[in-house]
Amino acid sequence: MTSLALDETGDAPPRSRPSAWNRLSRNALATFGLVLVVAIAAIAAAAPLLPLADPNATDVANRLQPVFSDGHWLGTDQLGRDILSRLIWGTRVSLAVGIAATLVATAIGALIGLVAAYYGRWTDTLLMRGIDMLMAFPYLLLALAIVAVLGPGLLNAMVAIALVNIPFFARAVRGATVSLVTREYVDAARLCGMSNPRIIAREIFPNVLPVIVITMSTTLGWMILETAGLSFLGLGAQPPQADLGSMLGDGRKLIVTAPHVATIPGLVILLLVIGTNLLGDGLRDVLDPRLKSGALARPMAVTAVDASAGRPAAGAPNAAEAPLLSVQGLETHFVMGRAVFRAVNGVSFDVAAGEAVGIVGESGSGKSVTALSLLGLVPTPPGRIVGGDIRFRGESLIGAPLSRLQDIRGNRIAYIFQDPLTTLNPLLTVGEQVTEAVRRHQNLDSGRARQWTLELFERVQIPRAKERLASYPHELSGGQRQRVGIAMALANDPDLIIADEPTTALDVTTQAQVLKLLDELRRERGAALIFITHDFGVVSELCDRILVMYAGRVVEEGPVEAVFADPRHPYTRRLMACVPILGEPERSIDAIPGLPPAVNRLPPGCAFAPRCPLVLDACRHGEIPLDRLGDGRAARCIRAQESDQESSDA
Ligand code: ADP
Ligand code: MG
C-alpha cells in the first residue's frame, strides 16, 4: 500500500494529465537531445559576438597546429586557419541550411499533402504519382543529380535537399488529412458555405499541425547530415566558406598526419544529429495526439498487480466447495503522477454458479473497473491492482500468468461491452470475428467453427443469420451488433458472463429484446451473470442479487426483492427515488443533491456523508464497516439497523 502514502504527500492541485513540457522533461534522452541542440545552436548563433579569429584568415606559417596550441584552442588547418572559429561559423552555416531546407520541404510538402487529400480524385492522383516518381530515386542520388544540374553552391544544395525531402512531408500530411476530410465538422463547415481554402486553413490545418511538427523534428537531423554530405563532396559550401561537411572533406586528406582537422567537425556533426534526433523522438511522443489522449500508451496485456494483492485468505475454501467467483477486498487504483485514484476500494462479493448479480451505482462509482479487474483487463499504466484476491472456481486470478488468463478470457468468463461498435473490428465481417473467438478456445476446423457461429447467430435471433455472417459491423444496427456481442460471449459456453451496461446505447424496445434474450440464453446454459447497469428496473428483471456501489465501495448488497422492498443504505434509497415509475405521475423524482466525491480525495468516514440526508457526526470519521444484517443482506451505514420509521424520515 505504498501508493496510499503518495497521495497524502503534498497538496498540489490534482492534475489528471501532465503538461507537454513535463512529459518531455521526464524523457531523459529527449532532455539530453534538447540540451545538446540548444547548446550547439546558442554557440552558433552567438558567433558574431564571440572573440573569434577570422575563420577565413590564412596563416601558412602556423598550419596544422595541434589542439590547445597558443591562440588556437582547437589548432589550425592546412592553411593555418583557426579551427574553433571555422567550426562555430561552419556550424552556423550547416544549421541554417538544414533548417531552411526543412522549412521549405515542410511548406511545399504539407501544401501538396493537404491539397491532394482534400480535393481527392484526379488532383490526388496527379500530385501523389508525381511524389511517387520523386521517391522512386534514391534520394541522395537525386540530390546529387539536382546539384549537378544547378551547379555547386550552398543555395543549390539547400534546394536539392529540400526537394528530395518534399515527398516525406507530402505523404505524412496526406495520410493525416485523408482521415479528417470526411469528419462531420468538415462537412458542417462546407454546409456553412466556407470556401475550400478556408476549410483547409481553419478546420484541417490545425489538426494536422502535430503531424507536421513531428515530421519536421524527426527530419531535421537528416537534412543537416545531407547538407554535410553534399559539402563533403564539394557540392555545397565553396571555399573559403566553412560548413561542417566541407571542413570534414578538407580534413579527410590529413586524417593520418593531423587527425583533429577532420575528427572535430565530424564529432560536432555526430552530436548535432544525435541531439536533433533524440529531441525529435521526444517531441513526437509529446505531440502525437494519439499519445496525448493515452491511446498509444501501450497498456500491458494484463493489469499490474502489487505484491500485497493475491495472498490466499486464511482458510480459503477448496475448489470443490468454493463459489464460482469470489472477490475479496479488491483494490484497484489508478496512479497518475502524484495522484492516486482509488477507483475500487476494498470490494468483496461472491457469485454462485448460475446466479445473476447486478452491480448498480452512479457513473464513476467503480463498476466497470471492478469488472475489468476480474480478468486483469484494467489498463496498466495507469491502473494497478494493489490489494485483495479474486478466485474463480477456487483458483486465484490475481497474478495468474497471462496465458492462463487468456485461456479463461472469452472462454470460461465472457465479457459483453457497452458499445459493440468500438469492440468489433471494422475491417472483418462479424462472422469471421465470432468464428475467431470460437477457434481460439475450441479445437474445431474452420467449417465446423463457421457452422457453430451460424447456430449462435440464429440463437441470438439475428434475422437472416446466414447472410449476416458476411456483414461488416457498420452494416448492422445497434441492436444487431449487441446480439453479435452476445453471440460472441456465448461462443464457448462460459460459466460466467460479465455484461457492462450492454444496452445503454440501445433504444428502449431493442433494449428490452436484447435483455430478454440474454436472460433466456443464460438460464438455458446455466451461466452466471454479473450485470452492470445504472438502471434499477433492469436489475429487478434480471438479477437474483444486487450490489450497490458508491465511490469504489459496496455500500449495500442483498437479494433483489429484499433490497427493493426495504433499502437499508440512504444512497440506495436515493438512487431508487430517481427512477420514474410509469403511471405514477404524482411521484416526485429527486435527483441526489451534490456530486460523488473524487476518488483521489475521498473524505474520511462515509463517502456518502456529504450528500446524505441522515448524516450524523459519527459518519464523518473512521472506517464505516459493511454491516451484515442477516438474510444475505449488508449495508455500509451506521444507521442501517435502525427501524424503518426513523430512517425513512428523509
Ligand atoms: P463506472 O461505475 O461508471 O463504470 P468506472 O469503474 O469506469 O465507473 O470508473 C471508476 C473511476 O475510475 C472513475 O473515477 C474513473 O475516472 C476512473 N477510471 C476509470 N478508468 C480509468 C482509466 N483508464 N484511467 C484513469 N482513471 C480511470
Ligand atoms: Mg462503466
Side-chain angles (χ1 to χ4, degrees):
M1 298 272 275
T2 48
S3 43
L4 288 185
L6 274 174
D7 194 16
E8 279 132 21
T9 52
D11 265 326
R15 206 174 338 162
S16 55
R17 205 190 290 145
S19 70
W21 174 250
N22 266 340
R23 273 178 294 151
L24 187 68
S25 59
R26 237 187 275 154
N27 180 341
L29 284 178
T31 316
F32 175 68
L34 181 71
V35 170
L36 213 55
V37 171
V38 168
I40 296 177
I43 295 176
L49 308 174
L50 299 175
L52 293 172
D54 177 353
N56 299 327
T58 55
D59 177 7
V60 186
N62 276 325
R63 60 197 293 268
L64 296 183
Q65 293 285 323
V67 178
F68 297 129
S69 54
D70 241 7
H72 304 289
W73 282 5
L74 295 181
T76 58
D77 66 3
Q78 70 283 12
L79 296 177
R81 296 175 294 198
D82 182 51
I83 291 184
L84 178 64
S85 169
R86 284 180 74 74
L87 193 67
I88 293 177
W89 283 97
T91 305
R92 202 172 144 91
V93 172
S94 290
L95 266 178
V97 174
I99 292 173
T102 308
L103 291 179
V104 172
T106 308
I108 301 179
L111 192 67
I112 292 177
L114 279 168
V115 169
Y118 184 78
Y119 290 99
R121 296 203 270 189
W122 64 265
T123 319
D124 189 24
T125 312
L126 215 63
L127 286 172
M128 294 325 283
R129 292 305 81 78
I131 293 291
D132 288 348
M133 265 156 62
L134 270 184
M135 287 194 105
F137 298 96
Y139 64 84
L140 212 50
L141 264 189
L142 185 63
L144 285 176
I146 295 170
V147 181
V149 172
L150 298 176
L154 261 184
L155 186 68
N156 292 346
M158 193 274 282
V159 170
I161 289 167
L163 215 61
V164 298
N165 278 293
I166 285 175
F168 297 104
F169 287 94
R171 298 192 79 152
V173 172
R174 179 182 177 275
T177 311
V178 161
S179 62
L180 294 175
V181 288
T182 50
R183 292 281 175 86
E184 287 77 0
Y185 65 84
V186 176
D187 290 341
R190 243 183 242 132
L191 292 177
C192 288
M194 256 200 212
S195 67
N196 288 332
R198 227 173 106 100
I199 295 177
I200 294 180
R202 292 275 303 273
E203 308 288 330
I204 296 180
F205 179 71
N207 286 299
V208 292
L209 194 58
V211 176
I212 296 176
V213 174
I214 290 161
T215 319
M216 264 173 90
S217 64
T218 46
T219 319
L220 179 62
W222 277 110
M223 303 269 209
I224 294 171
L225 208 56
E226 286 160 16
T227 318
L230 288 181
S231 292
F232 179 84
L233 297 173
L235 300 172
Q238 297 300 305
Q241 190 182 33
D243 83 340
L244 293 173
S246 65
M247 288 178 73
L248 194 64
D250 289 348
R252 172 182 46 156
K253 299 157 222 151
L254 307 164
I255 196 77
V256 178
T257 45
H260 67 283
V261 180
T263 41
I264 291 172
L267 209 63
V268 174
I269 294 178
L270 182 73
L271 291 179
L272 198 53
V273 173
I274 287 184
T276 46
N277 283 354
L278 289 179
L279 178 61
D281 275 354
L283 278 179
R284 185 189 46 209
D285 291 353
V286 169
L287 289 179
D288 192 314
R290 288 168 302 169
L291 286 174
K292 258 202 275 187
S293 69
L296 289 186
R298 290 177 219 97
M300 309 193 310
V302 56
T303 310
V305 173
D306 282 5
S308 50
R311 298 229 185 86
N318 61 33
E321 58 198 61
L324 181 69
L325 178 80
S326 170
V327 178
Q328 291 303 324
L330 177 68
E331 293 179 48
T332 306
H333 294 177
F334 293 96
V335 182
M336 290 195 254
R338 286 206 292 163
V340 177
F341 293 82
R342 294 175 212 169
V344 175
N345 206 359
V347 166
S348 305
F349 63 94
D350 287 349
V351 179
E355 188 186 29
V357 174
I359 304 183
V360 291
E362 278 168 296
S363 173
S365 52
K367 308 181 296 290
S368 298
V369 177
T370 302
L372 290 169
S373 300
L374 301 182
L375 288 175
L377 291 172
V378 177
T380 301
R384 301 188 71 82
I385 294 177
V386 299
D389 197 8
I390 297 164
R391 290 183 171 260
F392 181 66
R393 296 188 173 287
E395 172 191 358
S396 179
L397 296 187
I398 284 201
L402 178 60
S403 58
R404 180 68 192 131
L405 282 178
Q406 282 170 336
D407 282 343
I408 295 176
R409 290 175 183 171
N411 184 21
R412 301 324 327 138
I413 304 181
Y415 220 108
I416 305 174
F417 292 94
Q418 176 170 352
D419 182 4
L421 193 56
T422 55
T423 41
L424 290 172
N425 184 334
L427 298 181
L428 295 178
T429 64
V430 288
E432 283 172 314
Q433 297 186 57
V434 177
T435 310
E436 186 182 294
V438 172
R439 295 195 69 191
R440 167 69 178 79
H441 296 291
Q442 295 180 42
N443 194 12
L444 294 182
D445 61 48
S446 60
R448 297 263 309 281
R450 221 167 309 128
Q451 187 55 38
W452 175 226
T453 304
L454 179 60
E455 269 174 49
L456 285 169
F457 273 39
E458 280 163 356
R459 204 165 300 181
V460 297
Q461 296 162 17
I462 294 177
R464 291 181 290 126
K466 197 152 193 168
E467 290 164 46
R468 280 302 172 205
L469 287 178
S471 299
Y472 289 92
H474 72 271
E475 295 171 329
L476 303 182
S477 70
Q480 286 173 348
R481 281 201 289 265
Q482 199 51 285
R483 285 169 198 266
V484 173
I486 296 175
M488 206 185 273
L490 294 174
N492 300 303
D493 245 330
D495 301 322
L496 174 63
I497 300 172
I498 301 172
D500 189 351
E501 311 209 22
T503 53
T504 309
L506 306 179
D507 64 75
V508 186
T509 41
T510 319
Q511 174 176 350
Q513 292 168 358
V514 169
L515 288 177
K516 183 158 170 280
L517 178 73
L518 179 62
D519 193 41
E520 283 169 6
L521 292 176
R522 174 188 83 75
R523 287 179 196 281
E524 189 181 304
R525 308 190 152 213
L529 175 71
I530 295 181
F531 193 91
I532 296 174
T533 179
H534 47 248
D535 188 335
F536 267 93
V538 172
V539 177
S540 65
E541 288 289 317
L542 286 185
C543 299
D544 309 316
R545 223 146 47 78
I546 182 172
L547 299 177
V548 182
M549 282 191 71
Y550 186 74
R553 319 193 95 169
V554 174
V555 294
E556 173 149 16
E557 69 169 283
V560 165
E561 302 83 38
V563 173
F564 270 68
D566 176 23
R568 283 300 175 161
H569 196 286
Y571 178 61
T572 317
R573 236 170 270 147
R574 297 307 293 246
L575 268 186
M576 284 168 49
C578 295
V579 181
I581 297 178
L582 217 55
E584 289 189 20
E586 68 283 357
R587 204 174 86 105
S588 74
I589 294 176
D590 294 326
I592 308 179
L595 290 173
V599 285
N600 60 333
R601 13 195 74 204
L602 291 175
C606 173
F608 188 62
R611 303 168 78 188
C612 182
L614 306 176
V615 63
L616 302 175
D617 227 17
C619 296
R620 297 191 198 274
H621 25 86
E623 167 82 18
I624 314 286
L626 192 64
D627 205 354
R628 298 278 157 202
L629 304 170
D631 296 334
R633 299 199 57 182
R636 195 182 290 279
C637 177
I638 53 176
R639 302 185 66 177
Q641 304 268 25
E642 286 176 22
S643 76
D644 256 357
Q645 234 36 40
E646 275 171 81
S647 47
S648 58
D649 299 342

